[in-house]
């Protein structure tokens, strides 16, 4: 039986859970953390993952099952290393697994793999999505069947190196009083295998309608985007990285802008925090990770879940891990 706030599986280390209800079950698309000797640094070298496993639960109370490996980096011609946080989407009868990894030049790109079933096996496209960069793809298929991909992560995820639209190895984050680097969004093509239009930078606004500043580390975007809809509004949530929170901002358009609203999850054990939000029946759930299973090793994480509750005004109640 799965219990809230307990590791969902213990046979492997898992992180970055993207949860969806497909075909009446809960499918979780996580990163698969490995035990290895890589250096623990700000570049994320310690997150040296090689493949993806999919987890499945019949319902929120049932056992969580590891469905096994569905994609390995050796099967993806453009990948050199580091298969980081994935997400999956369903459209037009097929399932799509979106995943970031470093290409042969060491630049993070986003790839896509396709399956007829939610638990794979997934067959990768030969090349990464043209025009893609950075990490942590999250996909929303909206009620009108338009699909949007959100992505980006600072530091190891290289987002600040794309300020000009071209990769600049030496680019750094903006000064503290300048506008924060925004996450990115692109509309996906009807076949889900490429961007339909140019990538756009998302703006997250403060309570006065001003863009959040780079020095506002309690609120500015760092990595791990997620998009869900609640009562017709678009809820864009993400990790603040250096301050280790999951926070959210709300807007009327899937491409933003979004106004900052508050904290969803207080810091967990471990440096990274990463989440997804999914409705199962009448209730809403937060899937997240921490490092409890490894006793606090940053690169050996475990996926958990708990119920998420809204207030009457549509704000989300803050969860303590
Ligand atoms: O799992 C590797 C990276 O750590 C993810 O891409 C980030 O979101 C962070 O969780």
């Amino acid at each position: 039986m799965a219990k809230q706030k307990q590791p969902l599986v213990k046979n492997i280390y898992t992180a970055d859970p993207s949860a969806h209800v497909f075909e009446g079950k809960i499918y979780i698309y996580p990163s698969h953390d490995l035990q290895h000797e890589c250096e623990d640094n700000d570049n994320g070298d310690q997150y040296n993952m090689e493949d993806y496993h999919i987890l499945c639960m019949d319902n929120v109370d049932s056992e969580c099952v590891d469905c096994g490996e569905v994609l390995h980096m050796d099967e993806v011609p453009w990948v050199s290393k580091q298969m980081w946080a994935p997400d999956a989407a369903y459209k037009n009868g097929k399932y799509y697994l979106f995943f970031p990894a470093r290409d042969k030049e060491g630049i993070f790109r986003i790839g896509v793999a396709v399956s007829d079933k939610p638990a794979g096996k997934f067959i990768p496209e030969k090349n990464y999505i043209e025009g893609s960069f950075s990490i942590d793809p999250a996909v929303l298929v909206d009620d009108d069947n338009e699909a949007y991909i959100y992505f980006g992560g600072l530091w190891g995820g290289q987002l600040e190196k794309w300020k000009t639209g071209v990769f600049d190895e030496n680019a750094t984050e903006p000064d503290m009083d300048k506008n924060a680097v925004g996450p990115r969004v692109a509309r996906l093509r009807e076949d889900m295998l490429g961007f339909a239009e140019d990538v756009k930078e998302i703006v997250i606004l403060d309570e006065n309608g001003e863009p959040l500043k780079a020095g506002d580390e309690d609120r500015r975007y760092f990595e791990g985007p997620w998009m869900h809809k609640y009562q017709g509004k678009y809820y864009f949530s993400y990790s603040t990285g250096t301050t280790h929170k999951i926070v959210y901002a709300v807007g009327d358009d899937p491409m933003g802008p979004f106004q900052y609203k508050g904290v969803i999850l207080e810091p967990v054990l471990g440096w990274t925090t990463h989440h997804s939000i999914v409705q199962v029946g009448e209730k809403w759930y937060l899937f997240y990770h921490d490092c409890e299973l490894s006793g606090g090793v940053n690169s050996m994480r475990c996926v958990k879940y708990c119920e998420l509750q809204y207030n009457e005004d549509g704000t989300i109640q803050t969860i303590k891990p």
Side-chain angles (χ1 to χ4, degrees):
M1 293 278 279
K3 288 207 184 84
Q4 297 203 25
K5 300 187 178 175
Q6 300 293 318
L8 279 176
V9 292
K10 294 184 176 173
N11 61 315
I12 55 172
Y13 291 105
T14 54
D16 309 324
S18 294
H20 295 272
V21 174
F22 291 140
E23 301 181 2
K25 294 183 181 182
I26 305 164
Y27 285 92
I28 305 150
Y29 300 83
S31 300
H32 176 200
D33 284 350
L34 299 172
Q35 264 175 290
H36 50 61
E37 302 299 318
C38 297
E39 187 191 342
D40 194 326
N41 57 29
D42 286 350
N43 200 37
D45 289 349
Q46 63 276 29
Y47 303 110
N48 200 14
M49 296 85 104
E50 297 177 1
D51 67 354
Y52 295 110
H53 283 227
I54 291 174
L55 310 180
C56 182
M57 298 161 80
D58 285 344
N59 57 63
V60 282
D61 297 317
S62 66
E63 191 189 352
C64 185
V65 177
D66 173 6
C67 304
E69 185 184 277
V70 296
L71 183 67
H72 190 279
M73 57 182 265
D74 291 348
E75 298 165 310
V76 193
W78 60 269
V79 168
S80 65
K81 61 177 181 175
Q82 291 182 307
M83 295 183 103
W84 284 10
D87 188 22
Y90 173 77
K91 185 167 169 172
N92 299 340
K94 291 208 183 295
Y95 294 89
Y96 299 88
L97 182 71
F98 293 89
F99 59 94
R102 285 187 194 258
D103 69 11
K104 305 287 187 201
E105 275 76 54
I107 298 175
F108 267 108
R109 305 286 186 175
I110 295 170
V112 58
V114 187
S115 177
D116 292 329
K117 295 185 294 244
K121 198 166 168 63
F122 282 87
I123 307 301
E125 291 292 291
K126 298 263 173 309
N127 209 345
Y128 55 77
I129 295 175
E130 196 182 335
S132 71
F133 54 90
S134 199
I135 59 167
D136 291 359
V139 173
L140 171 79
V141 180
D142 209 346
D143 303 330
D144 61 2
N145 219 29
E146 283 283 346
Y148 302 87
I149 183 166
Y150 303 84
F151 60 93
L154 298 174
W155 295 14
Q158 304 175 333
L159 183 59
E160 69 276 20
K161 300 189 185 307
W162 288 93
K163 263 188 295 202
T164 60
V166 177
F167 184 76
D168 175 359
E169 179 66 59
N170 301 314
T172 54
E173 282 177 82
D175 292 340
M176 305 283 250
D177 60 343
K178 297 284 187 303
N179 290 350
V181 177
R184 303 299 205 268
V185 61
R187 204 184 297 267
L188 284 165
R189 284 193 330 232
E190 186 56 23
D191 68 3
M192 298 289 271
L193 303 178
F195 296 161
E197 55 193 33
D198 289 346
V199 171
K200 295 186 176 55
E201 184 166 356
I202 291 174
V203 181
I204 302 170
L205 305 169
D206 67 12
E207 59 285 2
N208 301 315
E210 295 296 322
L212 294 180
K213 302 293 178 230
D216 190 350
E217 293 186 36
D218 277 320
R219 302 192 295 178
R220 65 91 178 83
Y221 179 86
F222 190 91
E223 64 185 0
W226 188 255
M227 172 59 74
H228 76 281
K229 273 178 102 172
Y230 179 74
Q231 294 186 341
K233 297 268 186 200
Y234 294 87
Y235 283 63
F236 181 75
S237 43
Y238 54 94
S239 163
T240 60
T242 50
T243 51
H244 316 288
K245 295 174 196 168
I246 298 292
V247 300
Y248 72 108
V250 177
D252 294 315
D253 188 294
M255 297 194 134
F258 304 104
Q259 187 169 44
Y260 179 86
K261 290 291 177 191
V263 177
I264 295 177
L265 180 67
E266 301 279 10
V268 296
L269 175 65
W271 200 95
T272 65
T273 184
H274 193 117
H275 77 300
S276 59
I277 294 169
V278 63
Q279 184 174 21
V280 185
E282 295 296 299
K283 293 188 173 180
W284 288 85
Y285 293 90
L286 176 78
F287 283 75
Y288 64 102
H289 72 226
D290 67 18
C291 299
E292 183 198 334
L293 192 59
S294 65
V297 180
N298 280 332
S299 57
M300 289 155 60
R301 300 165 288 182
C302 58
V303 168
K304 300 181 170 184
Y305 84 103
C306 66
E307 194 175 339
L308 173 142
Q309 274 163 336
Y310 296 89
N311 297 309
E312 283 202 350
D313 63 0
T315 54
I316 293 175
Q317 295 180 10
T318 303
I319 294 167
K320 292 191 192 314

